[in-house]
Amino acid sequence: MLYCPSDTKIYGENAEGRWDGDVLHIRFEACDWPMFTIEFPAIDMALAEGAELDVENTGACEAVIFGYAGSENPYCWSSGILRLAPGERGKLRIFIFQDKPPEVAKAFPHMMGVPGRSAHMEWPEAPKPAELNSLRIELEGAGSAVHLAVHGARRYGIRTPPSGKAAESLYPIMDQFGQYRHDEWQNKIHRHSDFAAHNDDEMREIAASPCAPERNKYGGWAGGPQFDATGHFYTKQVDGRWWFIDPDGRLYWAFGPSFVRPSCKAKTDGLEYLFEEIVPEGDYYKANLKRKFGESHWMEGFIDRAHDRMRHWGMNTFGTAADMDLCLTSRTPYCMHIYSLRFAARYGLGELDAAWKQRLEVNAAKVCEATADDPFCIGYFIDNEIHDKPDFGRWDYYYATCRDVQKKYAPNKLFLGSRQDWHRFPRGGVPVRIDHSDGPDAHDYSDTYKGYEAVLRAYAVHADVLAFNQYRYTYYNLRMPDYANKPILISETTVGALDRGMLHPSLRPTQSQEERAFACSHMLASALANPWIIGLHWFMYMDQPCTGWEHNGENFQMGIVDICDTPYPELLTSIKEAGYSMYSRRYGS
């Protein structure tokens, strides 16, 4: 057991608990976001995969429960999800991200997840596994009180990250197709002919159900009410709910993947021993597209399949970082991205001087030249995940300038904001850079969070849509203050698992593809029911390489398709269910 009643502290927010012997009974009030914390003497979880709570639903309504390891951070990444019917008892498993020991880092460099079911985060939000001292249970809120009984908590799983000779015995870990060599799973590619077989199967599925019902050419709701048709996308509140309105004047909820492009590169330089075969540029996704569609027609095959999938899956949008050639085929609406900052946005705004404005002007002119008159272009993100001090004047100038420059080159397109990664919002502050000097050495914002009001006020004044990169199991309780009554676009989210050859379960872990599918269904249902949310972008279209993305070592299981361009069937069931019914669900919420 991780705790015993005699040495624990229990407390709640809109929740209360009592002990009955070793069983903890918790009553969650019927309100948004009740939570309950179990605090105990620190224990070492470094060898365990995670913490497992034995939970029983003793109430009269279904409960969807979220578990977190550590109470100091409201949105630590070590987390889990469980659904229980009334009277049902189950295991809430909280996957705990680990430190990466030096000997493991030496054996598997540039990889955030490694063999042995061990994964770590580069960011400060995850709790220290050797110092775990609390577990937190949250509900998203319900129409009636929820009653749970916690029958105890234990470690589950054993982490065995190899090093030294044990690690060398696994080399190479990636096969010729970019897959993990040492596991088997459904739909794994074993030979070149498997690509054709998988392709034929998918073509038959698409032909049987080519498009969700009542969709126009933009993916808007052809069977819904008619509004002014301006030839471009705009936003509108209808009966208290925010919507996009498409160029034909139809209701449009933006649902689709980000990073839809024919490339996903692994870092190979100096890491050759990890690969059975190294393909050009370490781009296994591109190499597999060529194997699938042929050397001479692979790009056309990729473009056609991506568009066909959107309609077949019930999706209708390409999010950030989509391929320009893909977007400009006038078949699926898309969002473009403009960058103005010299360094990654997490390093802060830097000097908002003439040189910065010139970069913004040049980049905006270039991106807008090809897209400003395209009715399929929804609008533009500018920069990404900015961490800077909450100075209203500074943010007001930044957002006002970004808006003015974008509207100068694309007056009919929406300014979609800066994709802020405010994972604590609205229950906490926003990340702040401590050192405002430019450069990679200034990347220090750990545990430095300030109130969001000054930033959000400026954001809401100037952006047409407030884009947030928020990785959450639910969006039911994402609420906006009165001064920021603007629509929200969830511009990045995902969930992942470790049961199909990938080595990291992404920022929101689940225990299997089946649980991943449920988490996706619940996430989408909560977003569709939220009156502020105007769309959701899944990050990303394909999995990252199992040896680490070239940029930062992320090797997350987050794709709708894997590195061989094979869809995950369980996830697609949830996506299609939501996509095919999203307009009737949203309009009737």
Side-chain angles (χ1 to χ4, degrees):
M1 294 288 289
L2 299 184
Y3 61 80
C4 63
S6 61
D7 62 2
T8 62
K9 178 182 178 182
I10 57 174
Y11 51 93
E13 182 177 331
N14 298 314
E16 57 184 19
R18 62 176 178 83
W19 290 104
D20 182 6
D22 291 336
V23 179
L24 175 60
H25 292 272
I26 310 172
R27 180 187 184 276
F28 294 89
E29 295 179 12
C31 64
D32 286 352
W33 228 326
M35 63 177 65
F36 194 86
T37 299
I38 309 168
E39 196 171 292
F40 42 83
I43 58 175
D44 189 347
M45 296 286 289
L47 297 180
E49 187 170 326
E52 178 182 87
L53 283 75
D54 184 357
V55 184
E56 180 184 5
N57 183 355
T58 58
C61 60
E62 180 179 89
V64 178
I65 309 159
F66 315 106
Y68 299 89
S71 62
E72 292 184 1
N73 188 329
Y75 293 101
C76 66
W77 300 119
S78 294
S79 55
I81 183 173
L82 175 67
R83 173 176 56 178
L84 291 176
E88 188 177 8
R89 184 167 168 174
K91 309 295 186 184
L92 173 58
R93 287 189 160 184
I94 301 172
F95 185 92
I96 295 180
F97 291 103
Q98 300 287 334
D99 297 325
K100 191 175 181 182
E103 64 273 14
V104 176
K106 181 179 179 181
F108 299 103
H110 197 71
M111 293 172 61
M112 291 177 66
V114 301
R117 301 182 70 83
S118 186
H120 80 286
M121 289 293 193
E122 297 287 353
W123 308 290
E125 286 86 350
K128 293 294 184 183
E131 303 170 3
L132 182 69
N133 68 350
S134 64
L135 298 170
R136 192 175 75 256
I137 301 172
E138 290 187 9
L139 274 67
E140 63 185 357
S144 58
V146 173
H147 298 259
L148 301 178
V150 181
H151 295 271
R154 297 173 175 84
R155 295 174 176 86
Y156 80 87
I158 300 174
R159 296 181 189 268
T160 56
S163 59
K165 294 295 184 183
E168 292 174 9
S169 70
L170 297 177
Y171 299 159
I173 66 170
M174 183 189 276
D175 70 14
Q176 62 178 318
F177 304 116
Q179 304 166 118
Y180 186 59
R181 289 181 62 237
H182 302 292
D183 276 343
E184 289 295 322
W185 59 88
Q186 178 185 358
N187 293 332
K188 185 177 184 180
I189 295 287
H190 293 93
R191 57 194 66 85
H192 283 76
S193 60
D194 289 345
F195 284 101
H198 288 186
N199 187 38
D200 290 343
D201 289 344
E202 188 178 12
M203 288 176 66
R204 283 191 290 270
E205 292 175 3
I206 292 173
S209 179
C211 186
E214 297 187 321
R215 298 290 177 91
N216 65 11
K217 66 180 180 180
Y218 298 105
W221 191 17
Q226 178 71 52
F227 298 94
D228 290 342
T230 66
H232 300 276
F233 283 87
Y234 63 96
T235 63
K236 183 178 180 65
Q237 269 188 306
V238 179
D239 297 330
R241 301 179 189 93
W242 281 102
W243 293 86
F244 287 109
I245 306 298
D246 76 17
D248 285 346
R250 296 294 187 175
L251 295 174
Y252 180 95
W253 203 80
F255 179 33
S258 299
F259 214 86
V260 186
R261 55 193 310 117
S263 177
C264 192
K265 298 179 181 179
K267 177 179 170 63
T268 58
D269 290 347
L271 305 176
E272 290 81 3
Y273 55 90
L274 296 177
F275 301 86
E276 185 177 79
E277 176 184 317
I278 295 180
V279 300
E281 301 181 282
D283 199 336
Y284 287 86
Y285 186 64
K286 179 184 289 186
N288 289 331
L289 290 174
K290 292 180 178 181
R291 290 161 175 150
K292 183 173 185 173
F293 297 115
E295 285 280 348
S296 59
H297 297 93
W298 69 271
M299 187 61 181
E300 294 91 331
F302 162 76
I303 289 175
D304 287 342
R305 183 58 50 85
H307 287 298
D308 289 345
R309 281 172 169 168
M310 292 302 100
R311 283 166 172 72
H312 172 60
W313 292 351
M315 290 179 154
N316 59 3
T317 310
F318 295 139
T320 189
D323 179 79
M324 180 71 84
D325 290 336
L326 170 72
C327 292
L328 293 180
T329 53
S330 299
R331 293 170 62 182
T332 301
Y334 59 91
C335 303
M336 277 284 123
H337 216 130
I338 298 167
Y339 286 97
S340 75
L341 304 176
R342 286 182 292 173
F343 299 104
R346 285 196 181 96
Y347 299 150
L349 292 172
E351 296 296 327
L352 299 177
D353 54 14
W356 162 72
K357 188 174 181 181
Q358 179 65 20
R359 284 193 303 274
L360 175 62
E361 287 266 0
V362 170
N363 293 339
K366 181 178 179 181
V367 173
C368 294
E369 181 179 9
T371 56
D373 296 324
D374 184 1
F376 283 83
C377 178
I378 297 172
Y380 305 89
F381 303 113
I382 300 182
D383 297 321
N384 183 50
E385 298 186 351
I386 307 167
H387 298 175
D388 206 298
K389 58 186 177 182
D391 180 328
F392 174 81
R394 182 172 168 83
W395 284 95
D396 185 62
Y397 175 73
Y398 167 76
Y399 279 127
T401 306
C402 287
R403 178 186 178 87
D404 289 348
V405 170
Q406 185 232 285
K407 298 292 184 178
K408 171 182 175 181
Y409 294 103
N412 297 312
K413 300 303 180 185
L414 296 169
F415 175 27
L416 302 175
S418 53
R419 303 174 70 235
Q420 294 286 23
D421 60 333
W422 297 352
H423 302 290
R424 299 185 180 196
F425 175 78
R427 295 189 68 91
V430 300
V432 178
R433 272 188 61 237
I434 297 170
D435 180 2
H436 293 283
S437 62
D438 290 330
D441 293 339
H443 187 179
D444 180 9
Y445 59 93
S446 58
D447 299 326
T448 304
Y449 281 72
K450 301 284 187 179
Y452 56 79
E453 182 172 343
V455 185
L456 184 60
R457 282 187 180 276
Y459 200 17
V461 166
H462 300 291
D464 297 309
V465 175
L466 306 178
F468 293 102
N469 295 348
Q470 274 203 340
Y471 291 83
R472 297 168 59 171
Y473 295 116
T474 179
Y475 296 99
Y476 170 82
N477 41 30
L478 179 57
R479 300 285 189 265
M480 298 301 289
D482 291 341
Y483 63 80
N485 186 25
K486 287 286 184 74
I488 298 170
L489 175 63
I490 304 301
S491 44
E492 280 189 22
T493 191
T494 200
V495 289
L498 290 175
D499 61 343
R500 295 284 166 82
M502 294 298 288
L503 302 176
H504 197 296
S506 84
L507 286 84
R508 286 296 173 218
T510 60
Q511 297 297 314
S512 65
Q513 293 302 316
E514 290 77 17
E515 188 175 281
R516 184 184 186 220
F518 163 68
C520 174
S521 290
H522 190 77
M523 176 196 302
L524 287 167
S526 69
L528 284 164
N530 189 313
W532 282 278
I533 294 180
I534 203 166
L536 183 146
H537 294 170
W538 185 273
F539 192 84
M540 44 194 237
Y541 184 61
M542 78 292 282
D543 283 339
Q544 295 166 324
C546 74
T547 55
W549 210 8
E550 65 169 351
H551 308 293
N552 54 13
E554 290 180 5
N555 55 351
F556 297 173
Q557 201 271 298
M558 53 172 42
I560 304 174
V561 303
D562 64 20
I563 201 71
C564 292
D565 199 48
T566 304
Y568 286 95
E570 299 89 347
L571 182 66
L572 274 187
T573 297
S574 294
I575 286 174
K576 289 179 67 176
E577 181 183 5
Y580 275 53
S581 63
M582 68 180 182
Y583 285 120
S584 58
R585 292 166 71 179
R586 173 74 173 174
Y587 193 69
S589 293

